[in-house]
Amino acid sequence: MADDTDGAHDGDVTYGAEAARRSYPGFGGRVGRTVAGSEPWWPPRPEPPAGAPNIVVVLVDDLGYADLGCYGSEVSTPNVDALAARGLQYTDFHSTPMCSPTRASLLTGLDPHAAGVGTVAHADPGFPGYAMELADDVVTLPETLRANGWATYMVGKWHLAKDSDQSDAGPRHSWPCQRGFDRFYGFLDGFTNLHHPHRLVEDNSPVEVDTYPEGYYLTDDLVDRAIAMVKAGKASAPDRPFFLYVAHGAVHAPLHARADDITAQAGRYDVGWDEVRERRYRRQLELGVLEPGTELAPRNSEPDNDVLPWADLPERERELYARYMEVFAAMVASVDRATGRLLDALAEMGELDDTIVVFTSDNGASREGEMVGTTGYMVHLTTGDDVDADHDRLDLIGGPQTSPHYPRGWAMAGNTPFRLYKINTHAGGHTVPFVISWPAGGLAAGERRRQYAHVADLSPTLLELAGVEPLTERHGVAAKPMTGRSMVPTLRDAQAPAQRTEAVYEMIGHRGFYRDGWEVVTLHRPWTRFDDAEWELYDLTTDRTELRNLAEAHPEKLAELAAAWEEAAWATQIFPLDEGTGLKYLLRPPRTDRVREPLTIWPGTPSLERWRSAQLIWLRSFAFDAPVTVAPGDLGTLVAHGDQSGGYALYVLEDLVPALAGNDGRGHMTVVRGAPLAAGEHVLGARFDAFERDRWRMSLVVDGEAVGSADVAMMYGMAPFEGITVGRDPRSPVWWERHVTHGSFPWTGRQGPVTYLPGPTAPGMPEDVIDVLRAMGASFE
């Protein structure tokens, strides 16, 4: 009988020597009939280059150029100052003029509009430069680093996802863990309450907090989490480098700080913003942050941007405004202390010397408190100034019962020596501190660099230092190449030329373009045409603070740079420009229409996300019903929407008294009470009837009948800031006194689902408002 063991077949099964030549698609080993007769193979995993450093980027929110000690501030920042002393301090570094765009540029190495995030991520108007999420064909720094073997961690503020995508329903494609981070702990929104954060997220899931512990403070929590992430990673894989992105919520409003930090600043700002600004300027010259001959810009006097002389203010206002700045300074000090704790932890682990550490800000100091500041940040821009109400809460400023923002005079001091503020394309809007340290990488210590650089340069710089190339595709799609320029030559050599010679800026209609020391810039007024007449021209080599407009003296240079801005704007997706009608914020994809339909929320549902909740009540009448079964002794919260910065809630109080409460965001409570309820089943609820453009008639409803009402200010914009919760009033409460006595004041009885019924828009708000605004704005095309 013939020996056929080398080639026998039985159906599709191959036996003998031929089996030794078989494998599976994509498998690099050899597969026999047994494990012993096979050769294993494991798909390779990314390995970082030999000697790869750790990378830490600390991004502070709304920190001005002059707000750190090493940049001239009177605020004590010993940890950041020490970081600068063992590294390099850039004196001509630029962000974008607003938070979300800077974050997009930092993480992608692109101009922000090219990355899809041309302004703050609270809109979705349907244009590529304003998608309000990172584009699919854009690669992030953590995506590249993770693909090359780094662990990637983030804590803090994200603000790179559409507000409509931040609910539990997502989608999550532009959340941190989908854009390159292994771990995330922080918040997706643009800001939060630092004492009682409104919605923390861990990785891809909201963290449902009922009541924060006494003394909780977000800045400390974020650094605790950052240190824990690094320690956990190093415990499991000691040789694996990490990238840590710490994006603080501070020092953005609401201005919140620990009581002891505020006390430490007492009296320091009684001298006022003019004197503080002058002192900072002199200190900048002494330190060498400013070159000799640099002039201090005069007090801001541009229309709608002006600041009053401190000496001309009434004593009552000076007292109030000084308190705001004491809290802001306390926030800066807390960020410095947190930075020190992080660096100390890295040093204790033996990781600090081989860690590239970057410390910077996302834009200039903010003018959002406008002329007089506020203790009610969420409602200030919609309900106006109330200095008397703010002064009445003087001792509460900085604590959990207020949501303050300082007046723009302090932002002017924060941006010393420059003009204007955050959102502006003048220097005060985007000239920010920048410190970088890497002892093991051979970077010099205690030196300054005066070369022009931009936040889009950071990703290519870090990748070059790390020894890796950026990814060229993402999910099979060719990626836009980074347009930022590596700063490495200037890191290595103080005399090296600036690697960036051009930069384009745009923010809500303000425009700017830099080329080789020259700059054109506009201070655009809404509802006016975009034309060449508004361009200003400056030679920054001799006029760093933009004091001498050379537009008439050098018309050819102005025309050259204006044309360059136009070309760059088309190349980076800046168009269409915001004409100031507000249309950009009203345009939404049709799929979002469903968020204004009736909604049922069951007891036990985690708090509904802020934006999703607001759509049920935004600029319209609305009502809700809350069926309950009450028994003697029952009490608690049936529905809560909002917090100490403004909101409303429905309660059953002692003796079964139903109550509907409204908080105006400035400490004033309006409470409508009904007669005690009989034991048994009831349908409680509320009606908010929009009887004026910005007023509601708030009615308590018991079993279908209105039993009392009061007129209150309508909330819109960012208020109510906490989303809707059924059966309790968690975190920052609508009613502070009930929080003090009862915590989240949970309902003790039985409760059915709450149904929200959005009603007609407010008077004066036509249903076709988008068409009306489009027609009005078309004349500026």
Side-chain angles (χ1 to χ4, degrees):
M1 181 179 291
D3 183 358
D4 61 357
T5 57
D6 286 342
H9 292 74
D10 183 4
D12 291 332
V13 179
T14 302
Y15 301 100
E18 186 176 343
R21 298 190 294 272
R22 297 201 66 177
S23 186
Y24 300 112
F27 180 69
R30 181 176 61 82
V31 180
R33 288 179 58 78
T34 63
V35 172
S38 304
E39 294 180 3
W41 175 82
W42 294 269
R45 291 185 176 181
E47 291 290 337
N54 307 310
I55 302 170
V56 173
V57 174
V58 180
L59 184 68
V60 188
D61 203 334
D62 287 359
L63 184 78
Y65 185 78
D67 283 330
L68 298 172
C70 54
Y71 281 86
S73 178
E74 69 294 333
V75 181
S76 177
T77 54
N79 295 291
V80 178
D81 296 352
L83 185 68
R86 65 173 177 265
L88 300 173
Q89 181 180 359
Y90 277 68
T91 63
D92 200 6
F93 187 84
H94 299 264
S95 63
T96 79
M98 188 73 100
C99 45
S100 297
T102 291
R103 292 157 206 278
S105 272
L106 187 157
L107 291 175
T108 66
L110 291 165
D111 289 304
H113 301 76
V117 189
T119 189
V120 65
H122 294 299
D124 190 7
F127 302 102
Y130 305 92
M132 306 314 169
E133 62 184 15
L134 297 174
D136 290 337
D137 62 349
V138 168
V139 171
T140 68
L141 175 63
E143 285 172 337
T144 291
L145 290 173
R146 184 164 67 180
N148 283 276
W150 269 258
T152 55
Y153 311 128
M154 180 186 171
V155 297
K157 170 177 168 176
W158 178 239
H159 212 198
L160 290 173
K162 300 177 192 290
D163 47 13
S164 57
D165 288 352
Q166 293 180 21
S167 74
D168 291 73
R172 291 167 166 79
H173 59 278
S174 197
W175 289 27
C177 290
Q178 280 68 17
R179 295 309 315 229
F181 288 102
D182 298 327
R183 297 296 316 280
F184 170 70
Y185 177 81
F187 57 100
L188 302 176
D189 224 325
F191 53 87
T192 194
N193 182 321
L194 271 63
H195 294 296
H196 299 147
H198 70 297
R199 191 168 186 267
L200 292 173
V201 172
E202 186 165 10
D203 301 329
N204 275 322
S205 299
V207 180
E208 187 63 17
V209 178
D210 189 71
T211 303
Y212 287 97
E214 187 71 25
Y216 175 92
Y217 189 61
L218 179 63
T219 300
D220 298 331
D221 187 18
L222 294 179
V223 169
D224 288 344
R225 292 297 187 117
I227 293 170
M229 288 178 185
V230 171
K231 286 183 175 179
K234 285 295 182 179
S236 299
D239 297 331
R240 189 182 187 193
F242 64 85
F243 168 55
L244 170 64
Y245 175 37
V246 180
H248 281 291
V251 289
H252 195 295
L255 303 186
H256 285 155
R258 297 185 345 187
D260 55 341
D261 286 337
I262 299 172
T263 299
Q265 303 295 330
R268 174 169 283 183
Y269 296 98
D270 294 350
V271 296
W273 47 61
D274 293 318
E275 179 63 24
V276 167
R277 188 167 182 253
E278 180 67 33
R279 292 176 183 178
R280 290 186 176 189
Y281 167 66
R282 291 197 300 266
R283 181 65 174 154
Q284 289 171 334
L285 290 171
E286 293 168 3
L287 291 171
V289 172
L290 298 181
E291 294 187 272
T294 304
E295 298 177 63
L296 175 65
R299 185 187 304 108
N300 291 333
S301 59
E302 298 84 350
D304 299 325
N305 296 276
D306 56 314
V307 173
L308 296 177
W310 183 264
D312 293 352
L313 300 174
E315 176 60 32
R316 182 178 175 84
E317 292 184 24
R318 292 201 298 265
E319 181 184 25
L320 175 63
Y321 301 167
R323 171 70 177 195
Y324 288 133
M325 187 59 190
E326 290 170 4
V327 177
F328 180 85
M331 295 175 76
V332 175
S334 74
V335 168
D336 179 80
R337 184 175 57 246
T339 302
R341 286 204 301 116
L342 173 60
L343 299 182
D344 287 347
L346 296 179
E348 184 180 28
M349 296 167 63
E351 298 288 343
L352 183 58
D353 281 353
D354 201 21
T355 298
I356 303 168
V357 180
V358 171
F359 187 99
T360 189
S361 176
D362 65 345
N363 44 245
S366 171
R367 50 84 56 81
E368 292 167 73
E370 296 303 351
M371 186 69 83
V372 301
T374 183
T375 62
Y377 177 58
M378 314 303 182
V379 299
H380 174 62
L381 296 182
T382 56
T383 61
D385 303 334
D386 194 338
V387 172
D388 290 336
D390 293 334
H391 191 275
D392 288 345
R393 302 206 289 169
L394 185 73
D395 292 339
L396 298 178
I397 293 173
Q401 291 177 256
T402 61
S403 49
H405 198 300
Y406 61 21
R408 62 183 181 234
W410 291 121
M412 178 185 68
N415 294 328
T416 303
F418 305 111
R419 293 172 54 193
L420 299 174
Y421 321 92
K422 169 185 176 180
I423 79 168
N424 294 120
T425 48
H426 285 73
H430 53 81
T431 311
V432 295
F434 182 90
V435 174
I436 184 169
S437 170
W438 185 25
L443 296 191
E447 294 184 4
R448 293 190 177 85
R449 294 291 186 265
R450 303 196 184 278
Q451 296 92 334
Y452 191 99
H454 187 273
V455 67
D457 303 333
L458 185 55
S459 277
T461 300
L462 294 175
L463 291 178
E464 182 175 345
L465 292 175
V468 298
E469 295 292 328
L471 299 178
T472 57
E473 64 175 40
R474 182 176 183 273
H475 297 170
V477 176
K480 290 180 179 177
M482 290 184 177
T483 54
R485 303 297 183 89
S486 172
M487 300 158 57
V488 168
T490 67
L491 294 175
R492 301 295 187 191
D493 182 1
Q495 304 307 314
Q499 302 303 291
R500 173 178 286 272
T501 59
E502 294 185 352
V504 62
Y505 298 92
E506 188 279 332
M507 185 53 58
I508 58 174
H510 304 305
R511 296 174 287 165
F513 189 83
Y514 170 88
R515 174 182 285 170
D516 293 326
W518 287 85
E519 172 196 61
V520 287
V521 65
T522 71
L523 181 59
H524 184 72
R525 295 182 66 82
W527 297 88
T528 63
R529 294 185 63 84
F530 296 97
D531 57 32
D532 289 346
E534 66 180 2
W535 285 114
E536 303 166 17
L537 174 68
Y538 298 100
D539 178 0
L540 299 180
T541 64
T542 60
D543 181 19
R544 178 84 188 277
T545 50
E546 303 167 327
L547 303 182
R548 288 173 287 280
N549 182 3
L550 302 177
E552 293 185 3
H554 296 280
E556 300 85 359
K557 176 61 73 172
L558 185 144
E560 171 200 329
L561 296 184
W565 182 90
E566 189 84 8
E567 182 179 355
W570 284 111
T572 59
Q573 303 180 164
I574 286 176
F575 289 110
L577 296 174
D578 184 350
E579 69 285 337
T581 61
L583 182 61
K584 179 175 71 177
Y585 300 100
L586 295 179
L587 292 171
R588 292 276 176 172
R591 64 176 175 268
T592 61
D593 290 347
R594 66 174 69 96
V595 300
R596 286 177 289 277
E597 297 175 355
L599 181 69
T600 297
I601 308 171
W602 287 82
T605 302
S607 298
L608 194 63
E609 184 270 332
R610 176 194 64 79
W611 183 87
R612 180 66 180 88
S613 298
Q615 303 316 298
L616 298 168
I617 73 170
W618 195 70
L619 293 175
R620 64 180 62 249
S621 299
F622 71 97
F624 62 84
D625 293 327
V628 293
T629 301
V630 299
D634 279 343
L635 78 165
T637 308
L638 301 180
V639 180
H641 186 190
D643 58 12
Q644 285 293 284
S645 66
Y648 61 89
L650 177 64
Y651 306 98
V652 174
L653 305 180
E654 289 79 5
D655 300 320
L656 301 185
V657 172
L660 178 63
N663 183 328
D664 72 351
R666 279 200 166 99
H668 180 258
M669 294 290 294
T670 300
V671 182
V672 178
R673 291 175 169 85
L677 300 170
E681 295 183 353
H682 297 276
V683 178
L684 306 183
R687 286 204 315 263
F688 286 75
D689 297 310
F691 67 95
E692 292 180 3
R693 187 185 184 95
D694 58 357
R695 302 284 292 175
W696 278 318
R697 181 153 293 132
M698 178 180 82
S699 300
L700 171 65
V701 178
V702 177
D703 296 326
E705 296 293 330
V707 298
S709 64
D711 295 347
V712 296
M714 186 179 292
M715 283 173 284
Y716 53 98
M718 299 301 287
F721 196 60
E722 281 272 2
I724 298 168
T725 305
V726 172
R728 57 197 175 95
D729 188 2
R731 298 174 294 277
S732 176
V734 173
W735 196 342
W736 183 259
E737 287 73 20
R738 286 288 164 171
H739 168 79
V740 171
T741 58
H742 293 79
S744 64
F745 200 25
W747 170 239
T748 60
R750 292 172 53 196
Q751 181 174 7
V754 172
T755 300
Y756 267 78
L757 301 169
T761 56
M765 294 294 295
E767 293 288 349
D768 60 347
V769 63
I770 289 177
D771 292 335
V772 172
L773 292 178
R774 192 188 300 276
M776 295 170 68
S779 63
F780 306 117
E781 174 67 29

